[in-house]
Amino acid sequence: MSIRIKMLLSFTGMLVISLLFILLTASLYTIAATGDLQSFRDIYKVHYQINPLTEQGESIFQELKYLAKNDPDELQNKELLREYDMKLRAEKSGLYVRRESSQIFESLTFNQPELKQALPPYDLNNNQIRSTFNISERFYAYAKFDFQYSDGDRGSVFVIRERSPFAELTRKLLPVMSLLLIGVLIIANLLLYRWITRSFIKPLNQLRNSAEQIKAGNLSFKLELSSNDEVGQLNEAFESMRKQLQQSNELRRQDEENRKELISNISHDLRTPITNIKGYIEGIRDGVANTPEKMETYVNIIHSKAVSMDKLVDELFLYSKLDLNQEPFLFKAVDMVDFLEDSIEELQYDLEDKGVSFKWDNQTSGPLIAYVDLEKLKRTVVNIVDNAIKYMSNEPRRFSITLHADSEWITMAFQDNGRGISEEAIPQIFDRFYRAEQSRNSSTGGSGLGLAIARQIIDEHGGFIHATSELGAGTTIYIKLKRLANEEAT
């Protein structure tokens, strides 16, 4: 449920409850004042707030009051009293007239033997001419006027109307019921406030606290999601932002560590050949290379170190361009069988010179076409082969390339019988600057970028590269490229 609907329901509920409270209170006051639910329409009339009789009943009472003042003996005329009583019956009221302790006239409307004892005593000052009384469980309202007959006896004329027992009970309980209704209204508003607070204010406070934590640099918390409304969606977006910031910080920290490691590696890898070059140049300058043979040796070493430096700089430059997506790729349809055979022809002599026996195993038939950048893919193969040669320590030294394919993928497997890689290190060998062999000697040292460059090149080809290895037995690196149908290649 959205916050808009919640707020709409809350305020509608408060309005309805308030209106019901007002209407119910007004009804109770009306019933208490008139004893008649039908008199609700007259609630705002002051006349009915002080007079329980109907308008016609009040008019008759005023006529009787006039007679009592001006011609009291006429109130002993039973025919006249019956006429008035008939008029009062239409108003659901009745007439009662007394003289001293005797009864002059009693309306048949009442039928109450105890009526005479329930009536109030004489009060010739007429301090209270309207009130109520009850007989058993029946309640009555009256208007009376006390007077004197011509002979001096006291008399009273009553216009009596039976009222609802509920009206009298309401009149007595009205203060308690009013307080109860006010309490219900307060509790209802408190519950509505709690509902809005729990569903709106509390999540916003959590969101604010989370923002303060992020401001303080703390991203290692979790924002609990508890609703599906707009606030819940905001919390979800905020939590997603927090995770991205945390990942960004982790990547930035990792990049910073990689940068420091790169600077350290470059410094070491450049310092060593430069130091060697300086040493041999100083040897030549000081005349240490005093024979043609020594001079040739010194020059060859200097050249080798310069080539090593040039290769390192080239790898750093290539990796940087690949990492920034600034290295262009020129794809074209290539038969992978022909590509590997050409690459093997170039690599085979170098492998033989280093005492490595080579095996080429083509398990396919017919052409295998893939879209590749020939130069980049050749660079990948060279990096894999060079990396394998560095770590070959078992004799005899062997290296093989196997090609197989299915209807969708072309798979190349490069296998050596070197020292192998630990299971923990395998997932990291394609990361930048990672080297399973941490020493940086000239035989096994390097920038740690060869396989990282290979992975980036294969990723750009839309392929996959992974490795399997066993310590002491060797390592196999697999490259998978998407295969094209022959008709697609044409």
Side-chain angles (χ1 to χ4, degrees):
M1 185 183 296
S2 68
I3 293 175
R4 182 180 299 173
I5 296 177
K6 287 181 180 179
M7 294 183 69
L8 179 61
L9 290 178
S10 298
F11 288 113
T12 302
M14 292 176 65
L15 179 60
V16 169
I17 290 173
S18 300
L19 290 175
L20 288 176
F21 171 72
I22 293 171
L23 292 175
L24 184 56
T25 303
S27 301
L28 291 175
Y29 275 112
T30 303
I31 294 170
T34 66
D36 187 358
L37 288 173
Q38 299 300 322
S39 299
F40 179 73
R41 64 183 179 275
D42 300 311
I43 187 172
Y44 294 111
K45 296 183 179 180
V46 176
H47 176 75
Y48 280 91
Q49 294 176 358
I50 62 176
N51 192 344
L53 301 179
T54 63
E55 185 176 351
Q56 185 63 26
E58 182 68 21
S59 176
I60 295 172
F61 172 70
Q62 294 299 330
E63 290 180 15
L64 293 169
K65 182 178 175 182
Y66 179 81
L67 283 175
K69 288 181 178 181
N70 297 285
D71 189 5
D73 293 337
E74 190 68 21
L75 292 176
Q76 298 181 91
N77 184 348
K78 292 189 178 182
E79 287 297 327
L80 179 62
L81 296 178
R82 286 192 193 95
E83 291 179 7
Y84 278 115
D85 185 54
M86 290 299 292
K87 294 179 181 179
L88 289 171
R89 284 184 185 183
E91 302 299 320
K92 298 181 181 180
S93 302
L95 178 64
Y96 186 92
V97 180
R98 68 183 177 181
R99 177 187 176 102
E100 288 296 339
S101 60
S102 63
Q103 175 183 300
I104 302 290
F105 182 85
E106 179 181 355
S107 174
L108 297 176
T109 303
F110 304 131
N111 192 23
Q112 281 286 1
E114 301 176 4
L115 181 60
K116 181 178 178 181
Q117 289 76 21
L119 293 174
Y122 288 99
D123 176 20
L124 294 177
N125 293 324
N126 290 303
N127 293 320
Q128 184 176 4
I129 64 173
R130 292 176 175 84
S131 187
T132 61
F133 63 88
N134 64 291
I135 301 174
S136 297
E137 295 182 357
R138 300 179 72 177
F139 295 84
Y140 298 88
Y142 66 86
K144 79 174 180 74
F145 186 76
D146 293 329
F147 59 93
Q148 284 184 323
Y149 290 97
S150 60
D151 58 4
D153 285 350
R154 293 175 299 177
S156 300
V157 58
F158 290 86
V159 175
I160 303 171
R161 186 183 185 200
E162 186 174 1
R163 298 181 60 180
S164 167
F166 176 73
E168 183 66 17
L169 181 62
T170 301
R171 186 182 65 82
K172 294 180 179 180
L173 296 180
L174 187 60
V176 176
M177 297 180 69
S178 298
L179 291 175
L180 181 62
L181 288 173
I182 292 172
V184 170
L185 183 61
I186 292 174
I187 292 173
N189 278 276
L190 288 176
L191 291 176
L192 289 173
Y193 174 76
R194 178 177 174 80
W195 183 42
I196 291 296
T197 299
R198 287 176 63 86
S199 61
F200 184 67
I201 305 300
K202 186 177 179 180
L204 287 182
N205 286 336
Q206 292 179 346
L207 194 62
R208 183 193 63 190
N209 293 335
S210 300
E212 290 176 352
Q213 290 192 58
I214 292 178
K215 181 180 178 181
N218 177 25
L219 293 170
S220 60
F221 64 92
K222 184 178 180 180
L223 185 61
E224 297 295 337
L225 307 177
S226 58
S227 62
N228 295 321
D229 56 19
E230 288 86 345
V231 175
Q233 294 170 5
L234 178 61
N235 287 347
E236 185 176 357
F238 193 90
E239 174 66 9
S240 176
M241 179 191 71
R242 182 198 65 80
K243 289 180 179 179
Q244 291 183 4
L245 285 174
Q246 189 176 28
Q247 293 173 358
S248 178
N249 280 358
E250 291 293 333
L251 289 175
R252 185 178 62 182
R253 184 162 52 250
Q254 185 63 41
D255 287 343
E256 183 66 19
E257 293 176 358
N258 290 340
R259 186 183 64 82
K260 292 178 180 178
E261 182 181 359
L262 174 62
I263 293 174
S264 175
N265 292 345
I266 293 175
S267 299
H268 183 279
D269 290 345
L270 290 178
R271 185 184 300 112
T272 301
I274 289 175
T275 300
N276 291 335
I277 290 172
K278 287 173 60 179
Y280 284 106
I281 290 177
E282 289 177 358
I284 293 174
R285 188 174 59 185
D286 294 340
V288 176
N290 50 11
T291 64
E293 292 79 9
K294 284 186 177 182
M295 179 64 71
E296 184 178 359
T297 300
Y298 277 33
V299 170
N300 288 338
I301 292 174
I302 291 171
H303 179 266
S304 174
K305 299 299 179 182
V307 170
S308 176
M309 290 175 59
D310 181 65
K311 184 177 180 181
L312 174 61
V313 171
D314 179 61
E315 285 190 344
L316 289 171
F317 184 64
L318 176 59
Y319 181 83
S320 176
K321 291 175 67 177
L322 289 171
D323 196 41
L324 296 174
N325 295 319
Q326 294 180 351
E327 178 68 15
F329 280 75
L330 302 176
F331 293 100
K332 64 179 181 179
V334 174
D335 184 353
M336 296 307 297
V337 177
D338 293 341
F339 165 77
L340 284 177
E341 288 179 349
D342 291 342
S343 300
I344 289 167
E345 186 176 351
E346 296 179 9
L347 294 170
Q348 192 168 2
Y349 297 106
D350 188 43
L351 291 171
E352 290 176 355
D353 288 343
K354 295 179 179 179
V356 179
S357 62
F358 175 73
K359 179 183 178 182
W360 160 236
D361 183 10
N362 180 10
Q363 299 180 1
T364 66
S365 60
L368 300 176
I369 309 301
Y371 271 125
V372 299
D373 183 314
L374 276 176
E375 293 300 321
K376 301 294 190 308
L377 191 58
K378 186 176 295 184
R379 180 65 175 265
T380 300
V381 173
V382 170
N383 285 359
I384 293 173
V385 173
D386 288 347
N387 199 69
I389 293 174
K390 288 179 183 177
Y391 296 99
M392 283 187 183
S393 57
N394 298 333
E395 295 293 342
R397 305 166 75 188
R398 294 190 298 272
F399 185 79
S400 65
I401 298 178
T402 303
L403 178 66
H404 56 89
D406 56 27
S407 59
E408 294 185 15
W409 297 95
I410 301 169
T411 303
M412 298 173 283
F414 303 84
Q415 184 176 17
D416 65 64
N417 67 334
R419 67 188 66 176
I421 304 170
S422 66
E423 186 177 350
E424 299 79 17
I426 288 178
Q428 305 176 61
I429 62 174
F430 296 101
D431 292 344
R432 53 187 177 183
F433 314 122
Y434 179 81
R435 300 175 67 250
E437 171 59 57
Q438 296 299 322
S439 67
R440 308 196 68 83
N441 57 64
S442 59
S443 61
T444 61
S447 66
L449 292 173
L451 293 182
I453 290 173
R455 183 179 68 176
Q456 286 194 326
I457 291 174
I458 297 303
D459 286 347
E460 289 292 332
H461 281 74
F464 304 93
I465 183 170
H466 69 281
T468 60
S469 185
E470 182 180 349
L471 286 174
T475 301
T476 303
I477 294 179
Y478 299 90
I479 294 177
K480 296 180 69 174
L481 296 175
K482 190 70 175 178
R483 180 178 181 178
L484 298 179
N486 292 338
E487 53 271 19
E488 290 183 76
T490 57

